[in-house]
């Protein structure tokens, strides 16, 4: 045998943007035309949308890396083959067409109903003035056609603002695009009332969607590691296979028995990251998975280690998938190239100490590639430096063992807790349509956390919710005036889709969840407004904010560290304060005791216990 270089590993490594010689991971630079593409639901939605007679303009917006160009290419390929399998030749032809006619200067294809199709590949390629003119032009495409525009949200807003300057030649027509985008954020709808403009905000696109296939992450893992794939055959004849962490990662993730649960655990980590407020683009997800699978190594790197020592198994541990996923070996600058690493590192199970987990970890069962010689942790210490060194080694060992156990564990009931999110299961339960409506634990904890934001700490389960006068939010003294008491019975906790329906007063579900790979990332507590004719006040919480509220409800709080969160929540609660109360009776909270201040004859103030 000999040392083999696996071209499949080289292709996977190209998704990592850390080396100067790696090409940017975008559709136009993809060389492997035979590789299948993830069947994203947005493509299905687009194929239906362009056939609607009223539709004239479709905007794909969101952060760079969501795959806007790839979606357009896939759309063109599907229209060309008309139901037949997409071949590599078709993909190459589509690439050439997008390069030549991606400026929407002429039709690049035809819908199935015969309408001309115009595609603007990237609005950022145009100046603000040219971009504004192009937006107005594509609101009414020539020949009663359909136009698809790919636009970064920031560039889209700038071009629309440029067109809105009427005294400088603007028309003001392009603002319908931003209005539709804003309505999508507020109510989840993707089309304007006339149906001619559709704006799909791909920042709602999830790489770990709550669907039967689990989204992009498990699909890519299965595609890249499947045992039936011949692209891993060169590794079978490589001399370094027994010491190769890349091959070990592939075997563990494709193992028929434990592979599915490991891939599901990886998907759960990505889903939790998105639920904490992070936007993980397709490009970032592919970069993370690529780095995780290869450990940041190439075949040549493994060969060099093997030639140095054929049997050395002490260097592989940091490159195993359950360690590489959290980017320990990357510099801060490299992590900034793939911001998803920052979100994943906040959920590192290796940093969470739980007695029931740590007690069952065995350093002697660290696998074929242990972090270090375990006997080194048991040596006698003589100096302070020895103590510090041993503590550092033990910390690294248990971080390794906790991570490995997290992905190997068949019990997925405590995954949120192992990522440091005690309220994760309750957060997810809100979107369960079959949940027990009489179970008010999530609602009560949410309300108790909101009271804690105001400095109110009451023991037990209370049937009402206190709202302080806004003047006491930031200057909490021993006593505070209660502006309003809200019965808990009228308060409800809902998921994102239900909130959109309630806010838009719609009887049908919003379109957004059908236009993108969907994952509910926020929950809302809806509190009745001061007067019955007003809409309920909704307080939004992603998973991280809900975790904070849960911990504050239990008595923990850090005013300085979470000042921004407290200020945002206080602003929402201020809308619930009742400033119209003109009674001669004022309710005051003194410590945790309710008292009433009553104005008597002669403007005397009498205090009684409430």
């Amino acid at each position: 045998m000999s040392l083999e270089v696996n071209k499949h590993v080289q292709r996977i490594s190209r998704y990592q943007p850390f080396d100067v010689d790696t090409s940017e991971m975008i559709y136009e630079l993809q060389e492997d035309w035979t590789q299948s593409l993830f069947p994203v639901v947005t493509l299905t939605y687009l194929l239906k949308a362009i056939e609607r007679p009223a539709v004239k303009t479709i905007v794909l917006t969101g952060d760079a890396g969501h795959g806007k160009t790839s979606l357009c290419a896939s759309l063109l390929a599907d229209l060309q083959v008309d139901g037949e399998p997409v071949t590599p030749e078709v993909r190459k032809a589509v690439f050439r067409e997008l390069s030549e006619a991606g400026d929407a200067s002429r039709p690049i294809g035809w819908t199935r109903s015969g309408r001309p199709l115009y595609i603007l590949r990237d609005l950022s390629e145009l100046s603000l003035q040219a971009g504004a003119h192009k937006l107005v032009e594509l609101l009414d495409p020539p020949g009663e056609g359909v136009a698809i525009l790919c636009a970064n949200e920031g560039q889209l807003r700038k071009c629309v603002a440029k067109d809105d300057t009427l005294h400088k030649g603007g028309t003001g027509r392009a603002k319908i695009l931003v209005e539709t985008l804003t309505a999508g954020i507020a109510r989840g709808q993707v089309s304007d009332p006339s149906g001619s403009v559709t704006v799909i905000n791909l920042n709602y696109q999830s790489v770990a969607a709550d669907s039967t296939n689990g989204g992009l992450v498990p699909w890519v893992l299965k595609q890249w590691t499947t045992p039936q794939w011949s692209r891993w055959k060169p590794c079978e004849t490589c001399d370094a296979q027994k010491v190769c962490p890349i091959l070990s990662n592939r075997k563990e993730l494709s193992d028929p028995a434990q592979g599915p649960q490991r891939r599901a655990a990886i998907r759960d980590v990505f889903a939790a990251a998105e639920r904490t407020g992070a936007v993980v683009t397709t490009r970032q997800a592919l970069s993370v998975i690529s780095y995780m699978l290869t450990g940041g190594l190439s075949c040549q790197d493994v060969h060099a280690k093997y030639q140095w020592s054929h049997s050395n198994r002490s260097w592989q541990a940091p490159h195993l998938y359950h360690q590489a996923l959290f980017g320990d070996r990357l510099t801060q600058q490299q992590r900034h190239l793939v911001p998803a690493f920052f979100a994943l590192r906040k959920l590192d199970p290796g940093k969470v100490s739980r007695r029931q987990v740590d007690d069952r970890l065995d350093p002697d069962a660290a696998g074929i590639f242990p972090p270090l010689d375990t006997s080194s942790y048991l040596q006698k210490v003589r100096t302070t430096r020895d103590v510090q060194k041993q503590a550092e080694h033990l910390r690294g060992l248990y971080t390794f063992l906790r991570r490995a156990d997290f992905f190997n564990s068949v019990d997925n009931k405590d995954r949120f807790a192992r990522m440091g999110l005690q309220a994760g299961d309750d957060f997810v339960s809100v979107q369960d349509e079959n949940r027990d409506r009489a179970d008010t634990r999530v609602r009560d904890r949410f309300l108790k956390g909101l009271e804690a934001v105001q400095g109110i700490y009451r023991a037990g389960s209370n049937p009402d919710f206190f709202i302080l006068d806004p003047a006491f939010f930031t200057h909490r003294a021993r006593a505070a005036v209660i502006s309003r008491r809200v019965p808990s019975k009228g308060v409800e906790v809902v998921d994102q889709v239900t909130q959109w329906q309630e806010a838009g007063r719609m009887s049908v579900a919003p379109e957004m969840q059908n236009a993108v790979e969907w994952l509910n990332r926020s929950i809302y507590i809806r509190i009745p407004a001061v007067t019955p004719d007003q809409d309920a006040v909704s307080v939004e919480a992603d998973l991280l904010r809900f975790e904070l509220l849960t911990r504050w409800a239990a008595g923990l709080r850090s005013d300085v560290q979470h000042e921004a969160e407290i200020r945002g929540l206080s602003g929402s609660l201020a809308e619930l304060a009742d400033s119209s109360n003109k009674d001669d009776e004022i309710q005051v909270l003194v410590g945790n005791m309710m008292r009433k201040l009553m104005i008597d004859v002669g403007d005397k103030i009498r205090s009684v216990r409430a």
Side-chain angles (χ1 to χ4, degrees):
M1 294 195 297
S2 61
L3 296 175
E4 302 286 345
V5 175
N6 190 332
K7 292 184 178 180
H8 179 52
V9 174
Q10 289 181 320
R11 282 188 291 266
I12 292 175
S13 298
R14 289 183 67 251
Y15 290 92
Q16 301 171 33
F18 308 127
D19 297 327
V20 293
D21 60 341
T22 56
S23 58
E24 190 178 8
M25 200 286 296
I26 56 178
Y27 182 87
E28 290 89 338
L29 298 177
Q30 178 181 308
E31 293 180 357
D32 186 12
W33 301 104
T34 62
Q35 184 174 336
S36 59
L37 297 177
F38 176 62
V40 62
V41 299
T42 309
L43 176 59
T44 305
Y45 186 87
L46 282 176
L47 286 167
K48 294 179 180 177
I50 62 176
E51 302 299 334
R52 297 173 186 167
V55 172
K56 294 182 180 180
T57 308
I58 299 175
V59 178
L60 301 177
T61 188
D63 293 348
H66 276 301
K68 297 184 284 291
T69 307
S70 177
L71 272 170
C72 292
S74 298
L75 177 71
L76 287 174
D78 271 37
L79 290 174
Q80 288 189 14
V81 300
D82 196 19
E84 298 295 325
V86 178
T87 63
E89 290 73 22
V90 171
R91 290 185 182 173
K92 291 179 182 179
V94 165
F95 164 68
R96 287 194 298 269
E97 289 170 349
L98 274 175
S99 300
E100 297 169 0
D103 59 355
S105 59
R106 60 179 176 83
I108 197 171
W110 303 85
T111 68
R112 293 193 173 104
S113 59
R115 299 171 67 188
L117 181 64
Y118 300 83
I119 292 181
L120 181 62
R121 185 178 58 241
D122 190 355
L123 184 64
S124 298
E125 294 178 352
L126 304 177
S127 66
L128 293 183
Q129 188 68 42
H133 285 313
K134 183 61 73 172
L135 291 180
V136 175
E137 175 188 332
L138 295 180
L139 287 175
D140 289 301
E144 298 184 355
V146 181
I148 299 179
L149 295 79
C150 299
N152 175 279
E153 183 177 337
Q155 183 72 3
L156 177 66
R157 291 183 181 276
K158 289 178 183 177
C159 290
V160 170
K162 190 72 174 178
D163 178 64
D164 209 27
T165 54
L166 303 180
H167 63 283
K168 293 185 179 181
T171 66
R173 294 182 58 206
K175 64 182 179 182
I176 184 65
L177 301 176
V178 170
E179 289 173 353
T180 306
L181 172 64
T182 304
I185 297 172
R187 298 189 297 274
Q189 292 294 343
V190 298
S191 300
D192 74 319
S194 69
S196 63
V197 173
T198 296
V199 179
I200 301 176
N201 188 350
L202 292 178
N203 283 338
Y204 284 108
Q205 185 99 287
S206 171
V207 298
D210 190 12
S211 58
T212 53
N213 63 11
L216 174 73
V217 169
W219 184 87
V220 169
L221 286 170
K222 192 172 182 180
Q223 288 287 314
W224 284 356
T225 64
T226 179
Q228 289 80 19
W229 218 3
S230 60
R231 293 178 177 178
W232 286 99
K233 283 188 177 180
C235 296
E236 298 175 3
T237 57
C238 182
D239 289 344
Q241 61 175 294
K242 291 185 179 180
V243 296
C244 179
I246 303 175
L247 186 59
S248 174
N249 289 338
R250 177 255 172 177
K251 287 180 178 178
E252 292 214 0
L253 292 173
S254 64
D255 181 74
Q258 292 184 289
Q261 77 190 32
R262 289 167 179 157
R263 296 194 298 268
I266 293 171
R267 181 260 170 196
D268 287 347
V269 175
F270 273 92
E274 291 186 321
R275 285 181 168 127
T276 57
V279 175
V280 182
T281 66
T282 300
R283 184 180 302 174
Q284 291 180 31
L286 291 173
S287 297
V288 171
I289 296 172
S290 169
Y291 183 81
M292 178 194 72
L293 186 57
T294 63
L297 299 172
S298 64
C299 290
Q300 290 84 350
D301 294 331
V302 176
H303 297 167
K305 295 280 190 181
Y306 173 76
Q307 290 173 332
W308 178 66
S309 174
H310 289 3
S311 59
N312 187 0
R313 294 175 178 266
S314 64
W315 59 269
Q316 295 91 341
H319 306 286
L320 298 180
Y321 77 94
H322 43 73
Q323 308 300 310
L325 177 61
F326 302 99
D328 292 341
R329 295 173 60 84
L330 296 174
T331 64
Q332 284 288 96
Q333 184 179 4
Q334 288 174 322
R335 290 174 195 149
H336 277 292
L337 295 173
V338 186
F341 277 112
F342 291 107
L344 295 172
R345 288 173 65 80
K346 292 178 182 177
L347 305 174
D348 183 359
K351 304 292 179 63
V352 179
S353 176
R354 304 187 76 224
R355 184 70 177 269
Q356 58 267 47
V357 174
D358 292 354
D359 282 352
R360 70 167 184 261
L361 299 179
D362 184 2
D364 295 325
I368 60 173
F369 298 134
L372 281 176
D373 182 7
T374 53
S375 62
S376 64
Y377 308 132
L378 305 177
Q379 294 178 356
K380 292 183 179 180
V381 294
R382 295 179 176 84
T383 66
T384 303
R385 174 59 184 160
D386 290 340
V387 173
Q388 294 173 343
K389 189 174 181 180
Q390 187 182 65
E392 184 180 344
H393 285 170
L394 282 171
R395 199 159 41 242
L397 172 65
Y398 272 87
T399 296
F400 177 94
L401 294 175
R402 289 167 184 162
R403 288 172 175 172
D405 184 73
F406 177 84
F407 294 103
N408 289 328
S409 177
V410 295
D411 184 11
N412 61 0
K413 294 181 180 178
D414 65 342
R415 279 183 182 163
F416 279 113
R418 295 190 64 172
M419 290 185 279
L421 299 168
Q422 301 294 336
D425 291 321
D426 288 336
F427 182 92
V428 174
S429 70
V430 173
Q431 63 184 355
D432 184 4
E433 296 179 355
N434 300 319
R435 73 181 187 275
D436 183 8
R437 303 293 174 176
D439 188 353
T440 61
R441 288 177 300 172
V442 176
R443 183 204 66 187
D444 293 345
R445 196 177 302 128
F446 208 140
L447 291 175
K448 205 165 186 178
L450 291 177
E451 284 190 340
V453 168
Q454 305 172 80
I456 304 173
Y457 296 93
R458 294 192 290 168
S461 179
N462 300 288
D464 54 4
F465 170 58
F466 287 171
I467 301 168
L468 296 187
D469 188 288
F472 292 87
F473 282 172
T474 56
H475 301 284
R476 180 75 162 89
R478 182 170 176 265
V481 175
I482 294 178
S483 174
R484 188 175 168 216
R485 297 176 68 172
V486 181
S488 300
K489 186 177 180 180
V491 178
E492 60 177 346
V493 179
V494 298
D495 62 11
Q496 176 78 78
V497 177
T498 306
Q499 166 63 18
W500 276 337
Q501 285 182 271
E502 296 287 345
R505 298 178 180 177
M506 299 175 294
S507 58
V508 296
E511 289 183 86
M512 187 67 75
Q513 63 170 340
N514 299 319
V516 297
E517 294 287 327
W518 179 253
L519 179 73
N520 264 304
R521 308 186 198 195
S522 298
I523 61 174
Y524 292 77
I525 188 162
R526 293 178 56 82
I527 305 173
V530 178
T531 59
D533 58 331
Q534 293 179 325
D535 292 334
V537 174
S538 299
V539 180
E540 180 183 5
D542 59 21
L543 180 52
L544 189 58
R545 174 179 278 189
F546 185 66
E547 180 74 20
L548 289 174
L549 287 169
T550 299
R551 297 193 181 197
W552 290 338
L556 301 176
R557 186 172 174 186
S558 174
D559 291 353
V560 176
Q561 184 177 2
H562 303 294
E563 182 180 356
E565 285 288 340
I566 294 173
R567 191 163 53 245
L569 289 166
S570 298
S572 299
L573 293 174
E575 298 181 38
L576 293 163
D578 186 3
S579 59
S580 62
N581 189 358
K582 298 180 181 180
D583 294 341
D584 290 338
E585 180 182 299
I586 301 174
Q587 292 183 326
V588 179
L589 190 65
V590 183
N592 286 324
M593 183 180 297
M594 285 286 299
R595 299 195 69 86
K596 290 182 182 180
L597 299 181
M598 305 181 69
I599 300 176
D600 203 345
V601 178
D603 292 335
K604 293 181 180 179
I605 298 178
R606 301 183 184 275
S607 173
V608 297
R609 192 165 182 173

